[in-house]
Amino acid sequence: MIIIPTTKLNMDLIKNGILLSKNSVNNLFGQCEPWQVASITASGVLTSIWLWNFLFQDESLYNRLKTFTFTQIKKIPKFKKQVEEETKKISDLFENEVIENTKSEKYVVELPSQGISRDELIKTVNRYLNLGKYNWKEGFISGAIYYYDEELIKLLTDVYGLASYTNPLHSDIFPGICKMEAEVVRLVLNLFHGDLNSCGTMTSGGTESIVMACKAYRDFGRNEYGIKKGEIIVPRSAHPAFDKAAAYFGIKIIHISLNPDTYTVNLKKMENAITKNTLLLVGSFPNFPYGTSDDIEAISALGLKYNIPVHVDCCLGGFIAAFMPQAGFPLPPFDFILPGVTSISADTHKYGYAPKGSSVILYSDKKYRHNQYYVCTEWPGGHYGSPTVSGSRSGGIIAACWATLMYFGMNGYITSTKEVMDTKIFIEEQLRSMKGIFIFGKPTTSVIAIGSNDFNIYRLSDALNSRGWNLNTLQFPIGIHICITHLHTKPGVASLFIEDLRLELIEILKTPNVELTGKMAMYGMSATLPDRTIVGDITRYFIDAMYYTPK
């Protein structure tokens, strides 16, 4: 018996295969001119490249086909005219609302020939600040204003005035402002269990904090691991600032669906989405739509398992979560106490009660923060470096944020957290006892999201709006939420909200199938439109209306 080695047999098969392929190609093109062979080869290569690029893009083939189909449909004259008419109505609706809210004031569209006196300016500003229909100082709104106290306002006005012309970009001229920023970062790091290696910067708000984190991880992945087409994996409920960062920095964003019972990210699907290009895993504590919190401990474990950074978005409730254990409300671990967590975003201008325009982005190590910085060494004006998107920044905001933290102190924040959480628990218990509505998941901090299986929940939002309450609308699925702030802890505010909601709910349940009207009908319609480009246009018209001046 002759035994043929396996390796030799495999080599013979490969050689025979190559020979057969070569002969087939020669027979196919044997009668062709050389220029024809070259043309066919070039066309084949270019077609293959085009096909590869067409099939394998950041946006899925399905989404591209859907966009293309809707774009072509909207070019049909009949549909084009209909879309233009409807969008004009929506644009006018937004613009008319602005006109109604400002009808008592004339618009100034040219500089006055002579400067206006101080008293007149203060009088005008006060009138402008009182435009609008919502009594926000008495807690009739969801979120937006998290604390209001005349004594604090006066303090921060004085502090901001003192530092209004300072700029931390010029650290040699204003070292005191830089010292205040460094102190804000360090004391917030300590609240979130940062160690001596942890670091961070202040930013202008939660969006910039998140955008800066994504920029840092894009560059870190590229510089450390050679990742050129980076991806970030986020829960479907994560803040759209991650989508904005992805759009700005050319990062692919992968949205992971939520568990339908808890409204937290599906961890198995998150793990399955991890690839060699994954830059970052994201969890929210809590998320904005539902106030529920992702399992940060499990996401941290995934980060360690695959050596991927983990960002925790605490922008909304971070300054409640940090004090909840001391206030008597235990929480699962969610911050730097978990070894896999590498960054946290938290807004000082929400439950930190600082003036608008301040947030912090925190890192577990300077290697991440270094990738956040922008540095230019070839400019004729000298070496340029800035920690965030902005070059010049307001020293007044930094000083006012620092002063707010000093004003409240640990005990002040613990007391405030207890008051907010007690109010949230009262409202949640009352809502859960009502028929016809339900609560999405288990809210962690201060947001309670409401839905209904019996009627369109936007009707409840509209009814409460008529009573002076302003709530946030949600989609996919539709819902509304209230973000409890310190303003809701004032005597009688929470009880009044519950009573108004109960009365409107009773009326709605008498006729649960009534159709939506007015602005709520538009919200309901936009939530069901398959062509999301139209919804995008609606949002652009809303933003346009913010810049309305008379023609």
Side-chain angles (χ1 to χ4, degrees), residues 238-366:
H239 196 278
F242 291 100
D243 297 81
K244 181 185 281 190
Y248 283 179
F249 299 133
I251 303 169
K252 182 178 179 180
I253 187 166
I254 299 170
H255 297 95
I256 306 300
S257 60
L258 307 181
N259 296 309
D261 51 344
T262 63
Y263 287 86
T264 60
V265 69
N266 185 310
L267 291 165
K268 187 63 179 174
K269 291 183 179 180
M270 176 173 272
E271 182 172 14
N272 290 341
I274 293 173
T275 70
K276 61 183 176 62
N277 291 321
T278 302
L279 300 169
L280 182 66
L281 304 178
V282 173
S284 304
F285 202 94
N287 62 57
F288 176 85
Y290 311 109
T292 55
S293 291
D294 298 311
D295 187 344
I296 305 301
E297 195 166 7
I299 298 175
S300 168
L302 283 179
L304 292 173
K305 179 179 178 180
Y306 293 98
N307 192 30
I308 298 171
V310 171
H311 179 83
V312 183
D313 177 21
C314 291
C315 285
L316 176 57
F319 269 82
I320 283 188
F323 301 103
M324 279 176 64
Q326 297 101 312
F329 305 94
L331 286 175
F334 67 93
D335 56 18
F336 289 126
I337 203 167
L338 296 170
V341 172
T342 56
S343 59
I344 297 171
S345 52
D347 285 359
T348 43
H349 69 195
K350 288 190 173 73
Y351 292 97
Y353 305 134
K356 291 298 178 186
S358 68
S359 176
V360 290
I361 173 63
L362 310 173
Y363 299 100
S364 62
D365 194 281
K366 286 182 181 177

Side-chain angles (χ1 to χ4, degrees), residues 304 328 459 493 497:
L304 292 173
R459 285 183 63 197
V493 175
F497 171 73

Side-chain angles (χ1 to χ4, degrees), residues 358-377:
S358 68
S359 176
V360 290
I361 173 63
L362 310 173
Y363 299 100
S364 62
D365 194 281
K366 286 182 181 177
K367 66 183 180 182
Y368 301 118
R369 185 173 66 173
H370 281 177
N371 284 281
Q372 174 183 303
Y373 298 161
Y374 175 77
V375 176
C376 178
T377 59

Side-chain angles (χ1 to χ4, degrees), residues 255-540:
H255 297 95
I256 306 300
S257 60
L258 307 181
N259 296 309
D261 51 344
T262 63
Y263 287 86
T264 60
V265 69
N266 185 310
L267 291 165
K268 187 63 179 174
K269 291 183 179 180
M270 176 173 272
E271 182 172 14
N272 290 341
I274 293 173
T275 70
K276 61 183 176 62
N277 291 321
T278 302
L279 300 169
L280 182 66
L281 304 178
V282 173
S284 304
F285 202 94
N287 62 57
F288 176 85
Y290 311 109
T292 55
S293 291
D294 298 311
D295 187 344
I296 305 301
E297 195 166 7
I299 298 175
S300 168
L302 283 179
L304 292 173
K305 179 179 178 180
Y306 293 98
N307 192 30
I308 298 171
V310 171
H311 179 83
V312 183
D313 177 21
C314 291
C315 285
L316 176 57
F319 269 82
I320 283 188
F323 301 103
M324 279 176 64
Q326 297 101 312
F329 305 94
L331 286 175
F334 67 93
D335 56 18
F336 289 126
I337 203 167
L338 296 170
V341 172
T342 56
S343 59
I344 297 171
S345 52
D347 285 359
T348 43
H349 69 195
K350 288 190 173 73
Y351 292 97
Y353 305 134
K356 291 298 178 186
S358 68
S359 176
V360 290
I361 173 63
L362 310 173
Y363 299 100
S364 62
D365 194 281
K366 286 182 181 177
K367 66 183 180 182
Y368 301 118
R369 185 173 66 173
H370 281 177
N371 284 281
Q372 174 183 303
Y373 298 161
Y374 175 77
V375 176
C376 178
T377 59
E378 306 303 318
W379 182 42
H383 298 164
Y384 175 88
S386 63
T388 62
V389 169
S390 301
S392 293
R393 292 182 292 148
S394 170
I397 289 293
I398 293 172
C401 177
W402 178 89
T404 305
L405 297 173
M406 298 300 108
Y407 177 83
F408 277 91
M410 182 68 75
N411 289 337
Y413 282 117
I414 292 172
T415 299
S416 173
T417 296
K418 187 175 189 322
E419 292 169 347
V420 171
M421 288 304 298
D422 284 342
T423 303
K424 174 259 184 182
I425 290 170
F426 165 74
I427 292 177
E428 183 180 352
E429 288 176 346
Q430 294 296 310
L431 292 175
R432 288 190 185 277
S433 69
M434 298 181 192
K435 293 181 179 180
I437 58 174
F438 64 85
I439 304 299
F440 289 91
K442 294 181 179 180
T444 306
T445 57
S446 56
V447 170
I448 306 169
I450 310 166
S452 176
N453 294 320
D454 299 325
F455 63 93
N456 191 312
I457 195 68
Y458 288 169
R459 285 183 63 197
L460 181 58
S461 178
D462 197 29
L464 288 170
N465 193 272
S466 67
R467 287 178 175 263
W469 299 96
N470 178 269
L471 273 64
N472 299 87
T473 54
L474 313 175
Q475 59 178 355
F476 311 135
I478 64 170
I480 58 177
H481 88 209
I482 180 169
C483 178
I484 311 301
T485 69
H486 195 266
L487 295 176
H488 296 113
T489 69
K490 292 182 177 181
V493 175
S495 298
L496 178 61
F497 171 73
I498 289 298
E499 183 61 23
D500 283 351
L501 189 148
R502 193 190 311 275
L503 291 173
E504 294 299 338
L505 183 58
I506 290 171
E507 289 301 312
I508 289 171
L509 289 175
K510 290 178 181 177
T511 54
N513 297 320
V514 171
E515 294 292 327
L516 291 168
T517 58
K519 188 190 291 187
M520 284 299 126
M522 185 195 67
Y523 282 126
M525 173 270 296
S526 66
T528 60
L529 280 176
D531 184 1
R532 306 311 291 172
T533 61
I534 293 178
V535 182
D537 288 339
I538 291 172
T539 305
R540 292 181 181 91

